[in-house]
Amino acid sequence: MMSENGIWRRLRFRGEFRDYQRRVLDAAEHHAADGHIHIVAPPGSGKTILGLELIRRHGSRHGSRHGSKHGDNALVLSPTVAIADQWRQRFVDNFRMNHNDSNGDNPLRSMVSDDLRRPKALTSVTYQALHAAVSEHDNRSNDDSGRDVAAESPKDRERRLLAALVDRLVAAGVRTICLDEAHHLRREWQRILESFVAALRADPRVRNDVLIIALTATPPYDANVNEWKRYIELCGDIDEEIFTPELVRNGDLCPHQDFVMLSYPTPAEAAEIRRFRIKAGDAVRWIVDGELFDKAVAAAGIAADGRQRHVPPSLYDHPDDYLALMVLMNRRDGMVPPKRLVRLVTAKRMLPAYRMSYAQRVFRFIVGAPELFGRDLSDRLKRELTRLGMTDRGRVCLLDNDRLTRKLMSSAGKLESIGRIVRHESGVMGARLRMLVLTDYIRADEKRRIGDGRPITSMGLVPIFETIRRTVDTMATNRPMDVTDGSTPTNETATISSDGFLPLIGAVSGSLTIMPAILADDINRLATARGVTPKYRPLPDERYCEVDLGSSNGVKIAIMTALVESGRLHVLIGTKSLLGEGWDSPSVNTLVLASTVGSFMLTNQMRGRAIRALAADPRKVANIWHLAAVEPGHLTFNEVGEQTMQWLDPPDDAVIRGDDFATLRRRFDCFIGPSYVSRNVESGIDRLGVFTPPYDRDGIARINAVMLQRSGRRAETAELWRKAVDDTDGRVAQAVQTDRPAPPPRMVLLLPLGEILAYIVLSQMVGLMVDFASGMVRSSARSGADFGFWPMMLICGAMALVPIGRVIMRWRAVMVPRRTLFALSCAVLDALHGVGAVSSVVSTDVLTGGRRADSVDRMFATVEETPVSDADGESALRCMAVGGARREQGVFAATMAELLSPIDNPRYVIVGREWGVRTYGVSLPCPAVFARRKRDVEALRASLQRHWTGCTIIDTHTEEGRRILLRCRTRSFLNRGGKTPNTVTTLVR
């Protein structure tokens, strides 16, 4: 190992740093003052190069300061072997010595290591390797000191191995730890890493002089408080967060857009879903028409004949469950829900229409509340539902179960969508197409179907390969092709017949590689250069073959990357575990996510495979396709029968049914892109502007057609990005979007008028009294100035203008929707700062929609209008906190979303109060962040009183509090719409 003093100072980066990289590097010494540098940047933004330069600069300073023999060597930890290999390769390829006299050999290769037992200047391994190094089993009976290690406990062995590892790394000069993709630290081996860092800092040779560099694209913002605290303690506070809009504006990432392709399950899958629905309807009919339901209604304290004499105490604790129970009673012949109870639990004083969800809620209520219904009744119902097949892992499931959910999310019906996307993108892009398809499973047993034409019944790497292979064959046979499925071709749209282009396809995973036979010479050349001799096995379609490239995934990835980058391979199918994170192929311009992953972190990582900028093509625009299977159409009387039909959900084309689409909607909340509605850059699936009912088969076909048309206009995507990010600094913030509140009750409107009248009357009474008193004084003294009656009344009236002005301002804060939202936002932000949930300096007097000059370094609330539809010009209100840390913005958004949500079952409820009278029309739920401590609740009340209106806080865990809660639920005009606000990430302007 090259270990002489000053080795890091002799290294230089070969290229030029991006704007954000220079900004981070210029501030690196300041960021490192606390022993941490924590950088957040999107996939593809160049975090690896940035991390290597941070290591180099810190090593140079450390060696020059302390005269270290080894300088300041580094240990890089990554989540996968491929990413760990990438760090070493990037170091060798992108850095150089100031004076290279090595006769052609790159001296940097001798500076890198992939083995913790033999550390060098840059040792790059996985987190799992670190975990294994301190938890491996030792087959020896004694260690080097003669100690009996066979009898030691796992904890003692871990401490011994950890001490040995730390000693070895300290002796090798390791003083910098780089944590790549640091969001993976929430895994089970975080404890080992924490122990390792603590032991390293505690070593007397180190003297706590250790730098932790944490790099990630997706910090665990959704973690709970304790998980976030552990994450920050290890990685340090976030020093710089780089947002996607800034990188797109600067050309570091390419413009990109997300598109959705919906499909229906295969006939076999749809039949299984229908059978489950029918079985659920029969189960509900059997239970509700039986004596078990009669006993449950009686145990709940509800009069089955509607003659309710008293309110059951448990209703106040379970209002939604009682509502669902009475919905089922209303469906049952011979039962009448008591109107007295209906009025208590509904805002409209009438029961909603029956849905299967109400039956599921009731059955879960009965099973889960044996203290109310009796253990015998709860257990009997659970056994009966289990017999009828309506439980899954001990939980009542009438709407779906885990098997159906997985079947829908992995539906083979999505294969048709993939083929459709391949046909369309091939026609648009021609030979410029570089498509990556990511999936979860391999399905190697499906290789026998390649080329035989039989139906494909599963989802995975091999089925997708076979689907695309058949699609390409169809494209070769049927020319010209229908590029946009019935739409008029645009100027950008090419047809296959114009140049005869047919894409070459391949598939790769850790254990299976399929390639076109025509690429054998290229594969041989690339494999030989890496010391590998490929082996080929023919497939039923002899135009393709299975390739054995050895056990090294690094070699496979390198060869696949070279084939894609050179344009020899146009479509590559891979597993998300191999290519979904850390793989770098900038030429990929089309990504198809055929994966069931819905998490924030993994979704963002997979999208990063396509959005990298390509130096050879500055006009690159990437399309990212998301797939979802929707449930088939509604059942009919002919399929079910009248008796069961009444217990199934009625036809409803106003929603897209199925957990797969619900997961897709959550996935879209994780990332941002240009909106076709607001013309801004924001998160959420609604930004695509196509999801409007009805969602029947024609509606689904309409959505798919619009998606195909827009995806063919890549220049439009680039223009949307350009218009959105121009004249901005690229920052984003979390915002809460809510519909305009319903008109308030007349009584609430009249309250300020009465208060104004009272102030006027009071001021005139004071004027009369003063005039009378002054007259008495003049009469007794027979002298004194006489101001006159009317001037005195005017003076006293003017004195009332101040309180009247306050009343008007408070009335505006309640009655004017935008002003209401701004007042609530300021109150919440002020209260969050008061209870310590927000530590940034807060300003609550910034005008809505604008920014004051003195608020640049402060956190403040702002409210703006945003369009929600191009067609009818509808708009919504959106509030956000600007400034402060990203997590603080998230806390504010989550708190506002709770505050503006329909009142459900909060610990405390906020009730408006004027002149000592509760105004239930102005009531809100108390967010959970304040509900933990009474003094925090009082801080929120005081803040609302200052910024919004008079109010009181009601504890709902008392009998009187439950009664008041029900009144608030049925009367609050701010929550009358019943819609939960959307939380979106949007570009700050």
Side-chain angles (χ1 to χ4, degrees):
M1 180 179 70
M2 300 179 66
S3 58
E4 61 267 21
N5 187 22
I7 184 67
W8 290 103
R9 283 181 289 167
R10 295 164 53 199
L11 292 175
R12 289 294 180 269
F13 177 56
R14 294 177 182 272
E16 293 185 4
F17 294 110
R18 297 172 178 176
D19 290 347
Y20 97 88
Q21 291 173 330
R22 283 195 295 268
R23 187 169 71 243
V24 172
L25 292 170
D26 290 343
E29 194 166 0
H30 171 73
H31 295 329
D34 63 348
H36 300 84
I37 298 178
H38 191 176
I39 307 299
V40 178
S45 57
K47 293 189 295 296
T48 303
I49 294 297
L50 175 62
L52 288 169
E53 178 63 13
L54 288 171
I55 290 171
R56 188 198 70 79
R57 293 194 180 194
H58 185 71
S60 300
R61 296 190 187 101
H62 189 283
S64 61
R65 265 199 328 265
H66 300 114
S68 170
K69 177 183 177 182
H70 298 284
D72 188 11
N73 293 338
L75 171 65
V76 179
L77 297 170
S78 305
T80 66
V81 173
I83 298 177
D85 292 344
Q86 187 181 86
W87 274 84
R88 295 189 296 273
Q89 194 63 42
R90 292 285 176 82
F91 178 68
V92 172
D93 293 344
N94 292 278
F95 287 80
R96 62 177 177 79
M97 289 288 185
N98 283 342
H99 304 288
N100 188 358
D101 54 357
S102 54
N103 299 322
D105 294 332
N106 192 335
L108 273 63
R109 295 189 184 279
S110 64
M111 296 175 58
V112 299
S113 170
D114 62 354
D115 191 347
L116 285 172
R117 293 169 296 185
R118 289 180 288 275
K120 295 185 179 181
L122 181 73
T123 304
S124 179
V125 298
T126 63
Y127 292 107
Q128 295 92 326
L130 177 67
H131 185 276
V134 299
S135 58
E136 62 185 6
H137 290 281
D138 198 334
N139 295 324
R140 298 175 301 164
S141 59
N142 298 93
D143 65 5
D144 295 337
S145 62
R147 185 190 317 160
D148 183 8
V149 298
E152 67 181 349
S153 67
K155 287 187 177 180
D156 290 338
R157 181 174 62 250
E158 180 180 297
R159 282 194 291 267
R160 175 175 58 81
L161 294 173
L162 180 62
L165 175 63
V166 169
D167 180 71
R168 187 184 314 124
L169 293 176
V170 170
V174 172
R175 302 294 186 272
T176 303
I177 308 296
C178 183
L179 308 177
D180 191 24
E181 307 296 356
H183 53 271
H184 285 280
L185 296 179
R186 295 172 66 190
R187 301 278 179 88
E188 61 181 23
W189 27 259
Q190 179 174 353
R191 179 185 60 83
I192 295 293
L193 182 57
E194 290 170 340
S195 300
F196 167 72
V197 171
L200 190 65
R201 290 187 182 278
D203 191 287
R205 293 167 291 179
V206 175
R207 300 189 300 275
N208 199 33
D209 192 5
V210 175
L211 177 65
I212 305 294
I213 300 173
L215 306 172
T216 182
T218 50
Y221 290 126
D222 54 349
N224 61 43
V225 175
N226 290 331
E227 287 178 330
W228 178 259
K229 184 178 179 181
R230 286 183 64 191
Y231 175 81
I232 292 300
E233 285 178 350
L234 184 60
C235 300
D237 291 326
I238 295 175
D239 294 301
E240 290 272 357
E241 183 160 11
I242 316 304
F243 300 106
T244 299
E246 176 189 349
L247 298 175
V248 173
R249 184 194 62 195
N250 295 341
D252 299 324
L253 294 180
C254 73
H256 52 277
Q257 181 61 291
D258 298 273
F259 299 99
V260 174
M261 181 68 72
L262 302 178
S263 61
Y264 287 100
T266 64
E269 294 166 346
E272 184 173 350
I273 294 172
R274 287 191 172 94
R275 285 194 297 270
F276 179 83
R277 297 278 172 252
I278 295 171
K279 189 163 66 170
D282 287 336
V284 175
R285 176 173 60 85
W286 177 265
I287 299 293
V288 175
D289 288 343
E291 52 91 18
L292 276 177
F293 189 72
D294 295 333
K295 292 181 178 180
V297 170
I302 302 177
D305 59 0
R307 300 173 182 176
Q308 192 75 28
R309 293 182 174 82
H310 66 277
V311 178
S314 53
L315 179 141
Y316 297 110
D317 295 318
H318 306 280
D320 291 330
D321 297 317
Y322 270 80
L323 171 63
L325 190 55
M326 287 188 284
V327 168
L328 264 62
M329 289 176 61
N330 196 40
R331 202 78 164 177
R332 160 82 179 268
D333 292 336
M335 283 191 175
V336 180
K339 292 183 179 180
R340 180 180 181 182
L341 301 186
V342 171
R343 287 194 295 268
L344 281 175
V345 297
T346 61
K348 298 180 180 179
R349 304 201 169 193
M350 59 183 297
L351 291 172
Y354 167 81
R355 291 288 188 276
M356 181 71 75
S357 58
Y358 288 120
Q360 178 172 276
R361 187 179 191 105
V362 168
F363 295 165
R364 287 180 176 178
F365 179 40
I366 297 171
V367 170
E371 68 281 358
L372 175 61
F373 296 96
R375 173 63 64 183
D376 180 64
L377 180 61
S378 296
D379 289 346
R380 283 183 60 194
L381 178 61
K382 185 174 182 179
R383 288 195 299 270
E384 188 66 13
L385 289 169
T386 301
R387 184 184 68 81
L388 295 170
M390 290 295 108
T391 60
D392 183 25
R393 300 179 183 178
R395 184 174 174 83
V396 177
C397 294
L398 302 179
L399 299 175
D400 51 51
N401 56 31
D402 186 59
R403 173 181 167 78
L404 278 185
T405 298
R406 285 187 283 107
K407 183 172 286 293
L408 193 65
M409 297 178 77
S410 301
S411 170
K414 294 181 180 181
L415 294 172
E416 181 181 349
S417 295
I418 296 173
R420 195 174 178 186
I421 292 169
V422 170
R423 286 198 304 272
H424 170 72
E425 294 287 4
S426 297
V428 173
M429 299 298 292
R432 293 181 294 126
L433 178 66
R434 303 290 186 274
M435 178 183 289
L436 173 66
V437 184
L438 290 176
T439 188
D440 299 319
Y441 308 107
I442 300 174
R443 310 291 188 202
D445 57 324
E446 296 291 317
K447 286 188 295 183
R448 66 183 185 279
R449 296 183 183 243
I450 295 178
D452 67 2
R454 289 183 295 172
I456 306 172
T457 58
S458 62
M459 187 72 166
L461 183 137
V462 175
I464 292 173
F465 171 83
E466 175 60 8
T467 297
I468 299 178
R469 187 198 66 80
R470 295 179 186 182
T471 299
V472 173
D473 284 352
T474 304
M475 290 162 55
T477 305
N478 303 323
R479 303 179 182 181
M481 61 168 268
D482 179 10
V483 178
T484 54
D485 292 65
S487 63
T488 302
T490 65
N491 292 334
E492 289 187 76
T493 302
T495 59
I496 292 178
S497 59
S498 64
D499 59 2
F501 170 72
L502 293 174
L504 287 177
I505 59 175
V508 63
S509 69
S511 59
L512 176 66
T513 302
I514 300 175
M515 286 287 122
I518 196 174
L519 297 183
D521 290 343
D522 297 277
I523 294 172
N524 289 336
R525 174 176 51 80
L526 294 169
T528 301
R530 290 162 175 80
V532 174
T533 302
K535 299 176 182 177
Y536 300 92
R537 286 188 289 272
L539 292 171
D541 184 342
E542 55 189 30
R543 294 173 300 174
Y544 298 91
C545 57
E546 185 177 345
V547 185
D548 184 355
L549 294 169
S551 59
S552 171
N553 286 338
V555 171
K556 295 176 189 174
I557 292 173
I559 293 174
M560 295 304 110
T561 303
L563 292 173
V564 172
E565 290 297 304
S566 63
R568 299 293 289 152
L569 197 64
H570 304 104
V571 179
L572 178 63
I573 307 117
T575 54
K576 71 175 191 296
S577 59
L578 185 66
L579 301 181
E581 186 174 17
W583 182 56
D584 186 7
S585 181
S587 65
V588 171
N589 52 34
T590 305
L591 174 66
V592 180
L593 296 178
S595 168
T596 59
V597 169
S599 74
F600 165 59
M601 294 182 293
L602 290 179
T603 298
N604 204 27
Q605 289 294 330
M606 288 190 293
R607 289 177 77 252
R609 302 317 102 206
I611 66 177
R612 285 167 164 77
L614 181 61
D617 183 10
R619 298 174 60 188
K620 173 189 171 182
V621 176
N623 286 349
I624 303 168
W625 286 94
H626 304 259
L627 310 178
V630 301
E631 285 201 16
H634 303 282
L635 296 167
T636 64
F637 284 105
N638 294 333
E639 295 175 288
V640 180
E642 185 174 356
Q643 285 188 332
T644 301
M645 191 71 185
Q646 68 172 332
W647 295 105
L648 298 177
D649 285 345
D652 184 8
D653 292 328
V655 296
I656 299 179
R657 298 184 55 178
D659 284 345
D660 198 21
F661 184 76
T663 300
L664 180 66
R665 179 174 286 277
R666 291 193 299 270
R667 177 187 284 180
F668 265 75
D669 293 336
C670 303
F671 45 80
I672 60 176
S675 170
Y676 291 104
V677 180
S678 67
R679 304 294 169 172
N680 198 358
V681 173
E682 58 191 41
S683 65
I685 201 169
D686 293 332
R687 65 181 171 84
L688 299 181
V690 296
F691 291 97
T692 55
Y695 298 113
D696 53 10
R697 286 192 174 269
D698 289 340
I700 298 300
R702 169 185 56 81
I703 291 171
N704 289 340
V706 172
M707 291 287 93
L708 288 169
Q709 289 172 359
R710 289 179 176 172
S711 68
R713 300 194 289 265
R714 299 198 181 210
E716 180 183 338
T717 298
E719 184 65 10
L720 285 172
W721 271 103
R722 186 191 66 77
K723 290 182 177 179
V725 301
D726 276 357
D727 302 323
T728 69
D729 59 6
R731 290 187 304 155
V732 301
Q734 280 191 287
V736 177
Q737 180 171 310
T738 181
D739 295 335
R740 294 178 178 275
R746 292 180 181 177
M747 183 187 71
V748 179
L749 288 168
L750 293 175
L751 278 174
L753 297 179
E755 191 171 356
I756 291 171
L757 182 62
Y759 278 123
I760 293 174
V761 171
L762 182 61
S763 67
Q764 298 308 298
M765 289 179 63
V766 171
L768 287 171
M769 293 174 63
V770 171
D771 185 70
F772 177 77
S774 62
M776 292 292 293
V777 170
R778 288 194 304 272
S779 175
S780 61
R782 300 180 183 274
S783 63
D786 185 3
F787 292 102
F789 174 76
W790 290 111
M792 181 62 69
M793 299 299 288
L794 288 174
I795 292 172
C796 292
M799 294 172 60
L801 291 179
V802 173
I804 289 174
R806 290 177 179 172
V807 171
I808 293 173
M809 293 301 294
R810 195 168 66 245
W811 177 82
R812 283 189 65 215
V814 176
M815 297 300 109
V816 181
R818 183 165 180 166
R819 194 72 194 180
T820 298
L821 190 56
F822 181 64
L824 290 172
S825 300
C826 289
V828 166
L829 188 58
D830 199 10
L832 287 172
H833 184 265
V835 302
V838 166
S839 57
S840 299
V841 178
V842 166
S843 176
T844 56
D845 59 351
V846 180
L847 298 177
T848 56
R851 183 186 302 184
R852 287 179 18 170
D854 62 351
S855 67
V856 174
D857 297 326
R858 295 170 177 262
M859 189 174 183
F860 61 93
T862 182
V863 176
E864 61 185 25
E865 289 193 39
T866 183
V868 295
S869 172
D870 279 336
D872 49 21
E874 291 184 7
S875 64
L877 293 176
R878 183 179 286 178
C879 68
M880 71 180 79
V882 180
R886 181 79 181 278
R887 182 168 174 81
E888 292 177 331
Q889 295 175 359
V891 170
F892 170 82
T895 304
M896 286 299 298
E898 282 189 70
L899 188 75
L900 299 172
S901 295
I903 298 175
D904 184 20
N905 193 25
R907 176 68 171 84
Y908 298 94
V909 67
I910 304 161
V911 183
R913 192 180 187 92
E914 292 289 346
W915 289 53
V917 178
R918 293 189 187 124
T919 53
Y920 296 106
V922 185
S923 52
L924 299 162
C926 177
V929 69
F930 299 108
R932 299 186 184 97
R933 296 181 298 187
K934 186 68 176 178
R935 66 173 180 269
D936 293 348
V937 176
E938 178 57 28
L940 175 62
R941 187 205 64 77
S943 185
L944 288 168
Q945 187 106 5
R946 287 193 302 273
H947 295 280
W948 185 46
T949 188
C951 60
T952 185
I953 304 290
I954 303 298
D955 186 348
T956 63
H957 282 196
T958 64
E959 184 174 351
E960 178 62 19
R962 303 302 296 181
R963 295 176 186 272
I964 294 174
L965 174 63
L966 288 181
R967 293 193 192 106
C968 294
R969 289 174 53 146
T970 57
R971 301 182 192 178
S972 174
F973 80 91
L974 289 173
N975 300 83
R976 189 174 295 170
K979 293 183 179 179
T980 301
N982 297 326
T983 301
V984 299
T985 302
T986 184
L987 190 65
V988 176
R989 295 191 173 277

